[in-house]
Amino acid sequence: MKLEVQELRAGYGAKLVLDGVGLTVPEGSIVTLLGPNGCGKSTLLKVIGRLLKPKSGNVLLDGKAVHACDTAALARRMAILPQLHHASGEITVNELVGFGRFPHRTGLGVMNAHDREVVAEVLRMTRLTELRNRRIATLSGGERQRAWIAMTLAQQPQLLLLDEPTTFLDIRCQFEIIELVRDLNRRLGLTVLMVLHDLNLAARCSDRLVTLKDRKVRHAGTPQEILRPEILREIFEIEAEITTGKDGVPYFIPTGTARNPQEDRQ
């Protein structure tokens, strides 16, 4: 599934957050949005996921405008996991994941044998089978996040939108989530567009990185093309050194904040 964003303008009330944004996410790729707080990363995901209506512009899935699609049909092709999500802590992992089958249910909406097979397979893929009867409130942060991702996978989407899926997780859990996303991408051919704040994690798992600042897309390219001192200085106002790991992935080491030329003249 190819995702295209064309000349998108969006915001909240009179406040414009995105202005003329264009973006292409190739089928089967992982693309990560990077940028400072408030630059519009989450807003862009919300517009693509139809949680927010754009002021103008288009979001196309395989050439068809998402805002013209039938809701249930779109939910069978695209799933979104916002940064903030909530469910009763009393429900079980199995019940939460089962919610992802709603777009596929017919009649009275009761899960059939196929639905249960899909849920079981998703639990296996996300290493949650042994936790399926645990209440959400009893899970660790990483286990809970895997359960939410499992719920979106139960929709059997072709495109997955993730807004900061590693937020509030410790380092080990962050790596587990990122490796899970990468594994699902490789095994299922799942197209992924996500927001991350950790540049090194983003470089590790992404095919392409996209930077946003001042309501616009500034750069798009491979991790090797984007993790460069001059780009990090422009986007994040930091000085950094770039090194390359044995796997060929670039990693950045912050060395200080970038000086503002106007401050030097004062």
Side-chain angles (χ1 to χ4, degrees):
M1 175 180 292
K2 182 180 181 181
L3 170 67
E4 295 179 89
V5 177
Q6 300 174 339
E7 293 297 319
L8 193 68
R9 298 177 73 250
Y12 305 93
K15 182 180 179 181
L16 190 64
V17 179
L18 300 172
D19 187 9
V21 166
L23 174 69
T24 298
V25 179
E27 183 176 1
S29 66
I30 296 179
V31 176
T32 299
L33 303 175
L34 303 172
N37 290 335
C39 71
K41 303 183 298 297
S42 295
T43 299
L44 179 54
L45 278 195
K46 289 177 182 177
V47 174
I48 295 171
R50 293 209 325 186
L51 301 180
L52 179 67
K53 187 176 180 179
K55 297 180 182 296
S56 63
N58 293 304
V59 177
L60 306 176
L61 287 181
D62 290 338
K64 186 174 182 179
V66 299
H67 288 83
C69 292
D70 173 77
T71 299
L74 183 64
R76 292 192 290 269
R77 304 182 69 201
M78 177 175 69
I80 181 171
L81 184 59
Q83 183 179 354
L84 299 177
H85 38 267
H86 176 73
S88 169
E90 296 305 308
I91 68 172
T92 66
V93 171
N94 194 71
E95 290 170 333
L96 177 65
V97 176
F99 291 158
R101 296 303 298 164
F102 273 115
H104 298 271
R105 297 184 193 180
T106 58
L108 298 176
V110 178
M111 284 210 300
N112 57 30
H114 177 66
D115 292 324
R116 290 190 289 272
E117 288 175 2
V118 172
V119 169
E121 175 61 13
V122 167
L123 289 169
R124 186 191 64 78
M125 287 191 297
T126 53
R127 302 184 300 279
L128 289 168
T129 301
E130 294 183 359
L131 302 177
R132 63 185 306 159
N133 295 318
R134 287 268 300 274
R135 291 183 293 110
I136 295 297
T138 68
L139 302 179
S140 69
E143 291 167 343
R144 191 177 300 118
Q145 191 69 326
R146 276 193 283 140
W148 281 102
I149 292 175
M151 185 195 72
T152 65
L153 292 176
Q155 290 179 225
Q156 295 183 300
Q158 297 167 280
L159 172 65
L160 181 59
L161 309 176
L162 299 172
D163 192 357
E164 298 188 36
T166 60
T167 299
F168 307 126
L169 301 181
D170 63 33
I171 295 175
R172 177 180 175 178
C173 289
Q174 290 180 31
F175 271 92
E176 286 182 345
I177 294 299
I178 290 302
E179 289 301 318
L180 171 62
V181 171
R182 190 60 174 165
D183 181 55
L184 294 169
N185 163 258
R186 289 170 175 164
R187 283 200 286 162
L188 304 178
L190 190 64
T191 303
V192 180
L193 177 63
M194 64 180 170
V195 173
L196 288 177
H197 277 294
D198 190 312
L199 276 63
N200 289 333
L201 278 180
R204 177 181 176 85
C205 72
S206 306
D207 299 301
R208 294 181 64 80
L209 303 176
V210 176
T211 66
L212 288 87
K213 190 175 184 181
D214 298 331
R215 303 192 298 275
K216 297 182 181 296
V217 168
R218 292 293 189 88
H219 308 277
T222 65
Q224 291 79 5
E225 292 170 331
I226 301 302
L227 255 63
R228 302 174 62 88
E230 62 272 21
I231 291 179
L232 298 182
R233 185 182 304 119
E234 173 193 347
I235 301 299
F236 296 100
E237 299 179 7
I238 59 171
E239 300 292 348
E241 295 179 357
I242 308 298
T243 185
T244 302
K246 294 180 180 180
D247 53 5
V249 176
Y251 296 88
F252 95 103
I253 303 172
T255 59
T257 55
R259 296 186 63 84
N260 187 329
Q262 293 182 347
E263 294 177 351
D264 292 339
R265 291 195 293 267
Q266 292 179 352

Short mmCIF file of all heavy atoms in Angstrom, two decimals, residues 58-118:
data_model
loop_
_atom_site.label_atom_id
_atom_site.label_comp_id
_atom_site.label_asym_id
_atom_site.label_seq_id
_atom_site.Cartn_x
_atom_site.Cartn_y
_atom_site.Cartn_z
N ASN A 58 -4.52 16.63 0.20
CA ASN A 58 -5.02 15.27 0.06
C ASN A 58 -4.14 14.26 0.76
O ASN A 58 -2.92 14.43 0.84
CB ASN A 58 -5.10 14.88 -1.43
CG ASN A 58 -6.15 15.68 -2.18
OD1 ASN A 58 -7.32 15.68 -1.79
ND2 ASN A 58 -5.74 16.35 -3.24
N VAL A 59 -4.77 13.20 1.26
CA VAL A 59 -4.07 12.01 1.75
C VAL A 59 -4.59 10.84 0.92
O VAL A 59 -5.80 10.57 0.93
CB VAL A 59 -4.34 11.75 3.25
CG1 VAL A 59 -3.64 10.46 3.69
CG2 VAL A 59 -3.86 12.93 4.08
N LEU A 60 -3.70 10.18 0.19
CA LEU A 60 -4.10 9.14 -0.75
C LEU A 60 -3.50 7.79 -0.36
O LEU A 60 -2.32 7.70 -0.05
CB LEU A 60 -3.64 9.49 -2.17
CG LEU A 60 -4.05 10.86 -2.72
CD1 LEU A 60 -3.41 11.07 -4.09
CD2 LEU A 60 -5.57 10.98 -2.79
N LEU A 61 -4.33 6.76 -0.38
CA LEU A 61 -3.88 5.38 -0.24
C LEU A 61 -4.10 4.70 -1.58
O LEU A 61 -5.25 4.56 -2.02
CB LEU A 61 -4.65 4.65 0.86
CG LEU A 61 -4.33 5.01 2.31
CD1 LEU A 61 -5.18 4.17 3.24
CD2 LEU A 61 -2.86 4.81 2.60
N ASP A 62 -3.01 4.31 -2.22
CA ASP A 62 -3.10 3.72 -3.55
C ASP A 62 -3.96 4.58 -4.47
O ASP A 62 -4.78 4.08 -5.26
CB ASP A 62 -3.66 2.29 -3.48
CG ASP A 62 -2.68 1.33 -2.83
OD1 ASP A 62 -1.47 1.62 -2.83
OD2 ASP A 62 -3.12 0.28 -2.32
N GLY A 63 -3.79 5.90 -4.35
CA GLY A 63 -4.45 6.83 -5.24
C GLY A 63 -5.84 7.26 -4.84
O GLY A 63 -6.45 8.11 -5.49
N LYS A 64 -6.38 6.70 -3.74
CA LYS A 64 -7.74 7.04 -3.31
C LYS A 64 -7.70 7.86 -2.03
O LYS A 64 -7.00 7.52 -1.08
CB LYS A 64 -8.55 5.77 -3.08
CG LYS A 64 -10.03 6.04 -2.77
CD LYS A 64 -10.82 4.75 -2.70
CE LYS A 64 -12.29 5.03 -2.43
NZ LYS A 64 -13.10 3.78 -2.37
N ALA A 65 -8.47 8.95 -2.00
CA ALA A 65 -8.49 9.85 -0.85
C ALA A 65 -9.05 9.14 0.38
O ALA A 65 -10.16 8.60 0.33
CB ALA A 65 -9.32 11.10 -1.16
N VAL A 66 -8.30 9.16 1.49
CA VAL A 66 -8.74 8.45 2.69
C VAL A 66 -10.00 9.07 3.28
O VAL A 66 -10.82 8.36 3.88
CB VAL A 66 -7.63 8.40 3.76
CG1 VAL A 66 -6.40 7.68 3.25
CG2 VAL A 66 -7.26 9.79 4.27
N HIS A 67 -10.16 10.39 3.14
CA HIS A 67 -11.32 11.04 3.75
C HIS A 67 -12.60 10.79 2.96
O HIS A 67 -13.69 11.18 3.40
CB HIS A 67 -11.06 12.54 3.92
CG HIS A 67 -10.06 12.84 5.00
ND1 HIS A 67 -8.71 12.79 4.79
CD2 HIS A 67 -10.23 13.15 6.30
CE1 HIS A 67 -8.08 13.08 5.92
NE2 HIS A 67 -8.97 13.29 6.86
N ALA A 68 -12.48 10.10 1.81
CA ALA A 68 -13.65 9.71 1.04
C ALA A 68 -13.95 8.22 1.18
O ALA A 68 -14.92 7.73 0.62
CB ALA A 68 -13.45 10.05 -0.43
N CYS A 69 -13.12 7.51 1.97
CA CYS A 69 -13.27 6.05 2.11
C CYS A 69 -14.33 5.71 3.15
O CYS A 69 -14.53 6.44 4.12
CB CYS A 69 -11.94 5.41 2.51
SG CYS A 69 -10.66 5.47 1.25
N ASP A 70 -14.97 4.58 2.96
CA ASP A 70 -15.86 4.02 3.98
C ASP A 70 -15.03 3.71 5.23
O ASP A 70 -13.94 3.14 5.13
CB ASP A 70 -16.52 2.76 3.45
CG ASP A 70 -17.32 2.03 4.51
OD1 ASP A 70 -18.42 2.48 4.82
OD2 ASP A 70 -16.80 1.00 5.02
N THR A 71 -15.55 4.06 6.40
CA THR A 71 -14.79 3.93 7.63
C THR A 71 -14.37 2.49 7.92
O THR A 71 -13.21 2.21 8.23
CB THR A 71 -15.59 4.48 8.82
OG1 THR A 71 -15.86 5.86 8.61
CG2 THR A 71 -14.81 4.33 10.13
N ALA A 72 -15.30 1.56 7.82
CA ALA A 72 -14.98 0.17 8.11
C ALA A 72 -13.99 -0.39 7.10
O ALA A 72 -13.06 -1.12 7.45
CB ALA A 72 -16.25 -0.67 8.14
N ALA A 73 -14.19 -0.05 5.83
CA ALA A 73 -13.28 -0.53 4.79
C ALA A 73 -11.87 0.02 5.01
O ALA A 73 -10.88 -0.70 4.84
CB ALA A 73 -13.80 -0.13 3.41
N LEU A 74 -11.78 1.29 5.39
CA LEU A 74 -10.47 1.90 5.64
C LEU A 74 -9.80 1.25 6.84
O LEU A 74 -8.58 1.02 6.85
CB LEU A 74 -10.62 3.40 5.87
CG LEU A 74 -9.32 4.18 6.08
CD1 LEU A 74 -8.46 4.11 4.81
CD2 LEU A 74 -9.61 5.62 6.46
N ALA A 75 -10.58 0.92 7.89
CA ALA A 75 -10.03 0.29 9.10
C ALA A 75 -9.49 -1.10 8.82
O ALA A 75 -8.69 -1.61 9.61
CB ALA A 75 -11.09 0.24 10.19
N ARG A 76 -9.92 -1.71 7.74
CA ARG A 76 -9.38 -3.01 7.36
C ARG A 76 -8.06 -2.88 6.59
O ARG A 76 -7.37 -3.87 6.36
CB ARG A 76 -10.39 -3.80 6.52
CG ARG A 76 -11.63 -4.23 7.32
CD ARG A 76 -12.47 -5.23 6.55
NE ARG A 76 -13.14 -4.63 5.40
CZ ARG A 76 -14.36 -4.09 5.44
NH1 ARG A 76 -15.04 -4.08 6.58
NH2 ARG A 76 -14.90 -3.58 4.36
N ARG A 77 -7.72 -1.66 6.22
CA ARG A 77 -6.48 -1.42 5.47
C ARG A 77 -5.46 -0.61 6.27
O ARG A 77 -4.26 -0.73 6.04
CB ARG A 77 -6.79 -0.67 4.17
CG ARG A 77 -7.80 -1.35 3.28
CD ARG A 77 -8.01 -0.56 2.01
NE ARG A 77 -6.84 -0.62 1.16
CZ ARG A 77 -6.58 0.27 0.21
NH1 ARG A 77 -7.41 1.29 0.01
NH2 ARG A 77 -5.50 0.15 -0.54
N MET A 78 -5.94 0.22 7.21
CA MET A 78 -5.06 1.12 7.94
C MET A 78 -5.42 1.13 9.41
O MET A 78 -6.60 1.17 9.77
CB MET A 78 -5.17 2.54 7.36
CG MET A 78 -4.35 3.58 8.11
SD MET A 78 -4.41 5.21 7.29
CE MET A 78 -6.14 5.66 7.59
N ALA A 79 -4.41 1.07 10.28
CA ALA A 79 -4.64 1.12 11.73
C ALA A 79 -3.74 2.20 12.33
O ALA A 79 -2.60 2.41 11.86
CB ALA A 79 -4.33 -0.22 12.38
N ILE A 80 -4.24 2.89 13.33
CA ILE A 80 -3.46 3.93 13.99
C ILE A 80 -3.44 3.71 15.49
O ILE A 80 -4.47 3.36 16.09
CB ILE A 80 -4.02 5.35 13.66
CG1 ILE A 80 -3.18 6.44 14.35
CG2 ILE A 80 -5.49 5.45 14.04
CD1 ILE A 80 -3.52 7.85 13.90
N LEU A 81 -2.26 3.88 16.09
CA LEU A 81 -2.12 3.82 17.54
C LEU A 81 -1.65 5.18 18.01
O LEU A 81 -0.47 5.51 17.89
CB LEU A 81 -1.13 2.73 17.95
CG LEU A 81 -0.96 2.50 19.46
CD1 LEU A 81 -2.29 2.11 20.09
CD2 LEU A 81 0.09 1.44 19.73
N PRO A 82 -2.56 6.01 18.54
CA PRO A 82 -2.17 7.35 18.99
C PRO A 82 -1.21 7.28 20.18
O PRO A 82 -1.04 6.23 20.82
CB PRO A 82 -3.51 7.99 19.40
CG PRO A 82 -4.56 7.14 18.76
CD PRO A 82 -3.99 5.76 18.70
N GLN A 83 -0.62 8.41 20.48
CA GLN A 83 0.32 8.47 21.61
C GLN A 83 -0.40 8.18 22.92
O GLN A 83 0.13 7.48 23.78
CB GLN A 83 0.97 9.85 21.66
CG GLN A 83 2.01 10.00 22.76
CD GLN A 83 2.65 11.38 22.75
OE1 GLN A 83 2.40 12.19 21.85
NE2 GLN A 83 3.45 11.67 23.73
N LEU A 84 -1.60 8.70 23.07
CA LEU A 84 -2.38 8.48 24.28
C LEU A 84 -3.54 7.54 23.96
O LEU A 84 -4.32 7.80 23.04
CB LEU A 84 -2.93 9.81 24.82
CG LEU A 84 -1.86 10.85 25.21
CD1 LEU A 84 -2.53 12.15 25.65
CD2 LEU A 84 -0.96 10.31 26.31
N HIS A 85 -3.64 6.43 24.69
CA HIS A 85 -4.73 5.50 24.49
C HIS A 85 -5.12 4.93 25.85
O HIS A 85 -4.31 4.84 26.76
CB HIS A 85 -4.33 4.38 23.52
CG HIS A 85 -2.91 3.92 23.68
ND1 HIS A 85 -1.88 4.45 22.95
CD2 HIS A 85 -2.34 3.01 24.49
CE1 HIS A 85 -0.73 3.87 23.29
NE2 HIS A 85 -0.99 3.00 24.23
N HIS A 86 -6.36 4.54 25.96
CA HIS A 86 -6.84 4.10 27.27
C HIS A 86 -7.87 2.98 27.11
O HIS A 86 -8.67 2.98 26.18
CB HIS A 86 -7.50 5.26 28.02
CG HIS A 86 -8.10 4.85 29.33
ND1 HIS A 86 -7.34 4.54 30.44
CD2 HIS A 86 -9.40 4.68 29.70
CE1 HIS A 86 -8.13 4.21 31.44
NE2 HIS A 86 -9.38 4.29 31.01
N ALA A 87 -7.80 2.04 28.00
CA ALA A 87 -8.81 0.98 28.10
C ALA A 87 -8.92 0.61 29.57
O ALA A 87 -7.99 0.81 30.35
CB ALA A 87 -8.43 -0.24 27.26
N SER A 88 -10.05 0.08 29.95
CA SER A 88 -10.24 -0.35 31.33
C SER A 88 -9.16 -1.36 31.71
O SER A 88 -8.89 -2.31 30.97
CB SER A 88 -11.62 -0.98 31.51
OG SER A 88 -11.71 -1.61 32.77
N GLY A 89 -8.54 -1.13 32.85
CA GLY A 89 -7.51 -2.05 33.32
C GLY A 89 -8.04 -3.42 33.68
O GLY A 89 -7.27 -4.35 33.89
N GLU A 90 -9.36 -3.55 33.71
CA GLU A 90 -9.98 -4.83 34.09
C GLU A 90 -10.12 -5.78 32.92
O GLU A 90 -10.34 -6.97 33.12
CB GLU A 90 -11.35 -4.58 34.73
CG GLU A 90 -11.29 -3.80 36.04
CD GLU A 90 -10.37 -4.46 37.06
OE1 GLU A 90 -10.57 -5.68 37.31
OE2 GLU A 90 -9.49 -3.79 37.60
N ILE A 91 -10.03 -5.29 31.69
CA ILE A 91 -10.16 -6.19 30.55
C ILE A 91 -8.87 -6.99 30.38
O ILE A 91 -7.79 -6.58 30.83
CB ILE A 91 -10.51 -5.45 29.26
CG1 ILE A 91 -9.32 -4.59 28.80
CG2 ILE A 91 -11.76 -4.63 29.42
CD1 ILE A 91 -9.54 -3.99 27.43
N THR A 92 -8.97 -8.12 29.74
CA THR A 92 -7.80 -8.97 29.54
C THR A 92 -7.09 -8.61 28.24
O THR A 92 -7.65 -7.91 27.37
CB THR A 92 -8.20 -10.46 29.49
OG1 THR A 92 -8.99 -10.67 28.31
CG2 THR A 92 -8.96 -10.86 30.72
N VAL A 93 -5.88 -9.10 28.10
CA VAL A 93 -5.12 -8.90 26.86
C VAL A 93 -5.91 -9.46 25.68
O VAL A 93 -6.01 -8.83 24.62
CB VAL A 93 -3.74 -9.57 26.96
CG1 VAL A 93 -3.04 -9.56 25.61
CG2 VAL A 93 -2.89 -8.88 28.01
N ASN A 94 -6.48 -10.64 25.87
CA ASN A 94 -7.23 -11.28 24.79
C ASN A 94 -8.42 -10.42 24.37
O ASN A 94 -8.72 -10.29 23.17
CB ASN A 94 -7.72 -12.65 25.24
CG ASN A 94 -8.21 -13.51 24.11
OD1 ASN A 94 -7.43 -13.98 23.29
ND2 ASN A 94 -9.52 -13.73 24.05
N GLU A 95 -9.10 -9.82 25.34
CA GLU A 95 -10.25 -8.97 25.02
C GLU A 95 -9.81 -7.71 24.28
O GLU A 95 -10.45 -7.28 23.31
CB GLU A 95 -10.99 -8.60 26.29
CG GLU A 95 -11.73 -9.78 26.93
CD GLU A 95 -12.25 -9.47 28.31
OE1 GLU A 95 -11.66 -8.59 29.00
OE2 GLU A 95 -13.25 -10.10 28.72
N LEU A 96 -8.70 -7.10 24.73
CA LEU A 96 -8.21 -5.89 24.08
C LEU A 96 -7.85 -6.17 22.62
O LEU A 96 -8.23 -5.43 21.71
CB LEU A 96 -6.99 -5.34 24.82
CG LEU A 96 -6.34 -4.09 24.20
CD1 LEU A 96 -7.29 -2.91 24.24
CD2 LEU A 96 -5.03 -3.75 24.91
N VAL A 97 -7.10 -7.24 22.40
CA VAL A 97 -6.70 -7.58 21.04
C VAL A 97 -7.93 -7.89 20.18
O VAL A 97 -7.98 -7.54 19.00
CB VAL A 97 -5.71 -8.77 21.05
CG1 VAL A 97 -5.36 -9.19 19.62
CG2 VAL A 97 -4.44 -8.39 21.81
N GLY A 98 -8.93 -8.51 20.78
CA GLY A 98 -10.15 -8.83 20.05
C GLY A 98 -10.88 -7.61 19.53
O GLY A 98 -11.59 -7.68 18.52
N PHE A 99 -10.71 -6.44 20.21
CA PHE A 99 -11.34 -5.21 19.72
C PHE A 99 -10.89 -4.88 18.30
O PHE A 99 -11.61 -4.23 17.54
CB PHE A 99 -11.02 -4.04 20.64
CG PHE A 99 -11.66 -4.13 22.00
CD1 PHE A 99 -11.12 -3.43 23.07
CD2 PHE A 99 -12.80 -4.90 22.21
CE1 PHE A 99 -11.70 -3.51 24.33
CE2 PHE A 99 -13.39 -4.99 23.46
CZ PHE A 99 -12.84 -4.28 24.53
N GLY A 100 -9.66 -5.31 17.95
CA GLY A 100 -9.15 -5.02 16.62
C GLY A 100 -9.90 -5.74 15.51
O GLY A 100 -9.74 -5.41 14.33
N ARG A 101 -10.75 -6.70 15.86
CA ARG A 101 -11.51 -7.44 14.84
C ARG A 101 -12.83 -6.77 14.48
O ARG A 101 -13.53 -7.24 13.58
CB ARG A 101 -11.78 -8.88 15.33
CG ARG A 101 -10.56 -9.72 15.54
CD ARG A 101 -9.73 -9.81 14.25
NE ARG A 101 -10.48 -10.45 13.17
CZ ARG A 101 -10.13 -10.38 11.89
NH1 ARG A 101 -9.06 -9.69 11.52
NH2 ARG A 101 -10.86 -10.99 10.96
N PHE A 102 -13.19 -5.68 15.15
CA PHE A 102 -14.47 -5.04 14.89
C PHE A 102 -14.70 -4.68 13.42
O PHE A 102 -15.80 -4.89 12.90
CB PHE A 102 -14.64 -3.79 15.76
CG PHE A 102 -15.21 -4.08 17.12
CD1 PHE A 102 -14.46 -3.87 18.26
CD2 PHE A 102 -16.50 -4.57 17.26
CE1 PHE A 102 -14.97 -4.15 19.53
CE2 PHE A 102 -17.03 -4.85 18.52
CZ PHE A 102 -16.26 -4.64 19.66
N PRO A 103 -13.70 -4.14 12.69
CA PRO A 103 -13.96 -3.80 11.29
C PRO A 103 -14.28 -5.00 10.41
O PRO A 103 -14.81 -4.85 9.31
CB PRO A 103 -12.64 -3.15 10.84
CG PRO A 103 -11.97 -2.71 12.09
CD PRO A 103 -12.35 -3.71 13.12
N HIS A 104 -13.95 -6.20 10.88
CA HIS A 104 -14.16 -7.41 10.08
C HIS A 104 -15.42 -8.17 10.48
O HIS A 104 -15.80 -9.11 9.79
CB HIS A 104 -12.95 -8.35 10.23
CG HIS A 104 -11.66 -7.76 9.75
ND1 HIS A 104 -11.24 -7.87 8.45
CD2 HIS A 104 -10.72 -7.03 10.40
CE1 HIS A 104 -10.07 -7.26 8.30
NE2 HIS A 104 -9.73 -6.74 9.48
N ARG A 105 -16.04 -7.78 11.58
CA ARG A 105 -17.18 -8.55 12.07
C ARG A 105 -18.44 -8.23 11.27
O ARG A 105 -18.62 -7.13 10.76
CB ARG A 105 -17.42 -8.27 13.55
CG ARG A 105 -16.25 -8.70 14.44
CD ARG A 105 -16.59 -8.48 15.89
NE ARG A 105 -15.40 -8.60 16.73
CZ ARG A 105 -15.40 -8.46 18.04
NH1 ARG A 105 -16.55 -8.21 18.68
NH2 ARG A 105 -14.28 -8.57 18.74
N THR A 106 -19.33 -9.21 11.20
CA THR A 106 -20.60 -9.04 10.51
C THR A 106 -21.73 -9.46 11.44
O THR A 106 -21.50 -9.99 12.53
CB THR A 106 -20.66 -9.91 9.23
OG1 THR A 106 -20.45 -11.28 9.59
CG2 THR A 106 -19.58 -9.47 8.24
N GLY A 107 -22.94 -9.23 11.00
CA GLY A 107 -24.10 -9.66 11.78
C GLY A 107 -24.15 -8.98 13.13
O GLY A 107 -24.13 -7.76 13.24
N LEU A 108 -24.20 -9.79 14.20
CA LEU A 108 -24.30 -9.27 15.55
C LEU A 108 -22.96 -8.82 16.11
O LEU A 108 -22.90 -8.35 17.25
CB LEU A 108 -24.92 -10.33 16.47
CG LEU A 108 -26.34 -10.78 16.12
CD1 LEU A 108 -26.78 -11.89 17.06
CD2 LEU A 108 -27.30 -9.60 16.21
N GLY A 109 -21.91 -8.96 15.35
CA GLY A 109 -20.60 -8.49 15.79
C GLY A 109 -19.87 -9.45 16.70
O GLY A 109 -18.86 -9.09 17.30
N VAL A 110 -20.36 -10.68 16.84
CA VAL A 110 -19.70 -11.66 17.69
C VAL A 110 -18.52 -12.28 16.94
O VAL A 110 -18.61 -12.55 15.74
CB VAL A 110 -20.69 -12.77 18.10
CG1 VAL A 110 -20.00 -13.83 18.95
CG2 VAL A 110 -21.87 -12.15 18.85
N MET A 111 -17.41 -12.49 17.62
CA MET A 111 -16.25 -13.07 16.96
C MET A 111 -16.54 -14.50 16.53
O MET A 111 -17.08 -15.29 17.30
CB MET A 111 -15.03 -13.06 17.90
CG MET A 111 -14.38 -11.69 18.04
SD MET A 111 -12.59 -11.81 18.36
CE MET A 111 -12.55 -12.73 19.87
N ASN A 112 -16.15 -14.81 15.30
CA ASN A 112 -16.31 -16.17 14.80
C ASN A 112 -14.98 -16.92 14.90
O ASN A 112 -14.00 -16.41 15.44
CB ASN A 112 -16.83 -16.16 13.36
CG ASN A 112 -15.92 -15.38 12.41
OD1 ASN A 112 -14.70 -15.31 12.62
ND2 ASN A 112 -16.50 -14.80 11.38
N ALA A 113 -14.94 -18.11 14.36
CA ALA A 113 -13.74 -18.94 14.47
C ALA A 113 -12.54 -18.28 13.81
O ALA A 113 -11.42 -18.33 14.32
CB ALA A 113 -14.00 -20.31 13.86
N HIS A 114 -12.77 -17.64 12.66
CA HIS A 114 -11.66 -16.97 11.97
C HIS A 114 -11.12 -15.82 12.80
O HIS A 114 -9.89 -15.63 12.88
CB HIS A 114 -12.12 -16.46 10.60
CG HIS A 114 -11.05 -15.70 9.87
ND1 HIS A 114 -9.88 -16.30 9.43
CD2 HIS A 114 -10.97 -14.38 9.53
CE1 HIS A 114 -9.13 -15.39 8.83
NE2 HIS A 114 -9.76 -14.22 8.88
N ASP A 115 -12.01 -15.04 13.41
CA ASP A 115 -11.56 -13.94 14.27
C ASP A 115 -10.68 -14.45 15.40
O ASP A 115 -9.64 -13.87 15.71
CB ASP A 115 -12.77 -13.20 14.86
CG ASP A 115 -13.57 -12.45 13.82
OD1 ASP A 115 -12.97 -11.91 12.88
OD2 ASP A 115 -14.81 -12.42 13.95
N ARG A 116 -11.11 -15.54 16.01
CA ARG A 116 -10.34 -16.11 17.11
C ARG A 116 -8.98 -16.63 16.63
O ARG A 116 -7.98 -16.51 17.35
CB ARG A 116 -11.14 -17.22 17.80
CG ARG A 116 -12.36 -16.69 18.59
CD ARG A 116 -12.98 -17.77 19.44
NE ARG A 116 -13.67 -18.77 18.63
CZ ARG A 116 -14.94 -18.68 18.24
NH1 ARG A 116 -15.67 -17.61 18.57
NH2 ARG A 116 -15.50 -19.64 17.52
N GLU A 117 -8.94 -17.16 15.43
CA GLU A 117 -7.67 -17.62 14.86
C GLU A 117 -6.72 -16.44 14.65
O GLU A 117 -5.52 -16.53 14.92
CB GLU A 117 -7.91 -18.34 13.54
CG GLU A 117 -8.56 -19.70 13.68
CD GLU A 117 -8.89 -20.31 12.34
OE1 GLU A 117 -8.57 -19.68 11.30
OE2 GLU A 117 -9.46 -21.42 12.32
N VAL A 118 -7.25 -15.32 14.14
CA VAL A 118 -6.43 -14.13 13.91
C VAL A 118 -5.89 -13.60 15.22
O VAL A 118 -4.70 -13.27 15.33
CB VAL A 118 -7.25 -13.04 13.18
CG1 VAL A 118 -6.45 -11.72 13.13
CG2 VAL A 118 -7.61 -13.49 11.77
#
